[in-house]
Amino acid sequence: MYKSFTMELAGRTLRVDIDRVAKQANGAALMHYGDTVVLSTATASDKPREGVDFFPLSVEYNEKLYAVGKIPGGFIKREGKPSENAVLAARVIDRPMRPLFPHDYRNDVTVENLVLCVDQDCSPELTAMIGSSIAVSISDIPFDGPFAATMVGLIDGQFVFNPTSEQREKSDLALTVASTREKVIMIEAGANEVPEDVMIEAIYAAHEINKTIIEFIDKIVAECGKPKHDYIKFEVPQEMYEDIVNFITPEGMEKAVFTDDKQVREENIRQFADQLAARYETEHPEWIPFINDALYKFQKVTVRKMILKDSKRPDGRRMDEIRPLAAEIDILPRTHGSGMFTRGQTQVLTVTTLGALSDIQRLDGIDENETAKRYMHHYNFPSYSVGETKPSRGPGRREIGHGALAERALLPVLPSEEEFPYAIRTVSEVLESNGSTSQGSVCASTLSMMAAGVPIKAMVAGISVGLVTGETDDDYVLLTDIQGVEDFFGDMDFKVAGTHKGITAIQMDIKIHGLTREIIEKALYRTRDARIYILDNVMAPVISKPRPELSPYAPKIVQIKIDPAKIGDVVGQRGKTINTIIEQTGVKIDIDDDGAVSVCGVDKESIDNAVRMIQMIVSDFEEGKVYEGKVVSIKDFGAFVEFAPGKEGMIHISKISKQRINHVEDVLTLGDKVKVVCLGPDRMGRVSFSMKDVKQN
């Protein structure tokens, strides 16, 4: 017999079934939100994984197309690798969960969410977030939860919680907030230039709802929760740590890590590791596996102490100071647009490519509102950017997540399809990394698109703020523009992108159990000041507005409108007519159901020829109008002239020449280009043409 628990959440019923399915998992919750159904499970290995110095947590979000009554496309007809949406959903679930597990826990943990049924008005991602929290909370896996999550929209200045499909389409805000009982632990947002004060109110409105969800989860845990199991704690031996501190000394570690050159810092730590390995080789060989963990702990203690107590950053900057910045455009001479943004030892090159609307990305997923992407942002993080060597195996979850964050940041400023009928792809290549490459890619992408002539509505810049906390909530330091070492040893990576007017994207990652409202407010306003400085003093002097003309290497697009009833004439039987136009001119042609036709090509003459052909196909022949065509067939009684693919007319033999001719071949041969005048319908109602009646100029 299973147990069910229900609550009302944003006007819809949330139901949780415990012990109904998946009973062999450590914890399982069958979630129902409206008609959306998600199975969330949590499992853990009996023993810790050997040879790892991290917590091996895996969060999965599995979309099944049967959930929306679809059969997968392609030949295999089976779901393959996770979609981009599934990867992003898994990341958003992972981020609030990870800090709530014990830091020294080394057992493998898998949190899996299986999307079984989708009601488009009840987000399966949100359902999975709450389900993941419940599954781990009722399990025997050590976990300092629960947490809860709420989505917030903004329509006509009013907040909408867990918006429906229709509301999401109209909303100026797509905000997800995760909270523990007391504090906000994760923020993810895409926004249409929303001001900071509005964003703060939205975050804490969601936090209040999260508190009610946590009360609901507490009741489930009280009735169904298992006792948490004991585990082997992986800690550096205290005697060893004290020996390392005495050997290196706090002053020696401070000197090693406090430099603005990442490679120098890493070399200093590598030398310490070599010295310690030699030191323990004979007397304490059992300590050697802990050397890296011990050095990490010593670095962390040193960096945090210097920042928090001595107000000193590793590279000597003030707490609100940004690293040296540089912006460039036109790095690549023949791409459609290129821009490079450098912040200290972080450097990103973004390349913009424009294409026909037929180049948009088609999506085969469970969100019925997301069927295609006109703007695509891709992010690449090669190993050489951090001085490492390893083969490239394609984008991982981190690359997909960073690309999506930059894409979300730039979407609100893109021109509409009517204003700019192009597919747009930006690719950010990380050339050097020492923190906050995702925000560097936002800046580089803005530069690149403006250089390409994409008429974006406003410039967008991004910056990250870090955090180091002490023993109490009011003992903390915010760090503007964190570099790698401050990210590794700090408590927060708060990424915010936006324009002068407001925020377009947020992603907040933390390693502690939540943030106070004061910290979030100060962090948001700190990012605003830094963002405006970057826009005004670094990017605008290089390029302040989009170029009025596209690159000569970019395709040109001409749009015309035709009668929707004549779309079939342009396409032709089995696409024969439109494919003939494409073959003859080398252009790309896209036709919408409303009769909007886009002709895309690099050569103006080819575009003009294609447009002329299409206009000829859809127009009716007018009496007295002169046309030009090609002789495609010769008969005894006359010749057939093609004016455009699929559009032909006949010239009677008597209308070919002013002089009498016995054979059509006396004047015409196949392939001849001729001018004719329309004579209107003949006695049988057919349109007739004449060569001899064309007035000579």
Side-chain angles (χ1 to χ4, degrees), residues 477-502:
V477 173
L478 290 172
L479 308 170
T480 300
D481 180 26
I482 56 172
Q483 58 176 314
V485 67
E486 294 167 335
D487 186 7
F488 299 149
F489 302 135
D491 298 319
M492 176 180 77
D493 184 4
F494 200 152
K495 309 180 187 79
V496 183
T499 64
H500 283 92
K501 185 178 176 182

Side-chain angles (χ1 to χ4, degrees), residues 509-634:
D509 297 322
I510 63 173
K511 302 169 187 172
I512 54 177
H513 290 197
L515 302 178
T516 64
R517 179 165 182 153
E518 179 182 275
I519 291 175
I520 290 175
E521 288 183 356
K522 287 186 175 180
L524 277 175
Y525 285 111
R526 182 77 72 86
T527 61
R528 181 182 183 276
D529 293 341
R531 180 175 81 237
I532 291 175
Y533 173 83
I534 294 169
L535 289 170
D536 291 344
N537 297 282
V538 182
M539 296 170 64
V542 174
I543 183 167
S544 59
K545 59 183 180 181
R547 283 179 169 148
E549 301 290 337
L550 300 181
S551 162
Y553 302 104
K556 311 299 184 291
I557 293 180
V558 172
Q559 286 191 311
I560 60 173
K561 194 82 170 177
I562 66 172
D563 183 349
K566 296 195 174 183
I567 292 175
D569 295 337
V570 177
V571 174
Q573 189 176 16
R574 297 180 180 176
K576 180 180 179 181
T577 302
I578 196 169
N579 286 331
T580 300
I581 299 173
I582 292 170
E583 289 170 7
Q584 290 181 6
T585 61
V587 302
K588 288 185 177 181
I589 301 173
D590 298 308
I591 306 177
D592 292 340
D593 292 340
D594 62 356
V597 181
S598 296
V599 182
C600 176
V602 177
D603 180 64
K604 184 178 183 301
E605 184 179 351
S606 297
I607 295 174
D608 291 343
N609 286 338
V611 169
R612 181 188 60 76
M613 291 179 186
I614 294 169
Q615 290 174 331
M616 179 64 70
I617 292 169
V618 299
S619 65
D620 296 322
F621 290 118
E622 298 178 17
E623 186 175 347
K625 188 172 181 179
V626 176
Y627 299 92
E628 184 174 342
K630 182 174 69 172
V631 177
V632 293
S633 178
I634 294 177

Side-chain angles (χ1 to χ4, degrees), residues 323-328 340-344 346-348 443 447 534 538-539 542:
R323 287 172 287 175
L325 304 172
E328 300 176 65
M340 188 162 72
F341 187 80
T342 305
R343 180 191 289 125
T346 291
Q347 187 176 63
V348 182
C443 300
L447 294 167
I534 294 169
V538 182
M539 296 170 64
V542 174

Side-chain angles (χ1 to χ4, degrees), residues 411-445:
L411 270 172
V413 302
L414 292 181
S416 67
E417 189 175 303
E418 292 72 27
E419 295 171 307
F420 192 68
Y422 286 86
I424 307 167
R425 181 183 185 230
T426 51
V427 180
S428 291
E429 304 286 358
V430 177
L431 307 180
E432 194 175 358
S433 174
N434 188 15
S436 203
T437 53
S438 66
Q439 299 310 288
S441 69
V442 171
C443 300
S445 298

Side-chain angles (χ1 to χ4, degrees), residues 46 85 121 159 185 197 367 369 409 479 553 577 596 623 653:
D46 294 332
N85 180 72
D121 288 338
F159 295 137
I185 196 168
D197 59 340
D367 189 340
N369 290 327
L479 308 170
Y553 302 104
T577 302
E623 186 175 347
I653 189 171

Side-chain angles (χ1 to χ4, degrees), residues 153-172:
L154 181 65
I155 301 174
D156 297 328
Q158 300 297 314
F159 295 137
V160 180
F161 301 103
N162 297 345
T164 65
S165 175
E166 182 181 350
Q167 289 170 333
R168 289 195 294 270
E169 286 292 297
K170 298 186 292 186
S171 178
D172 287 323

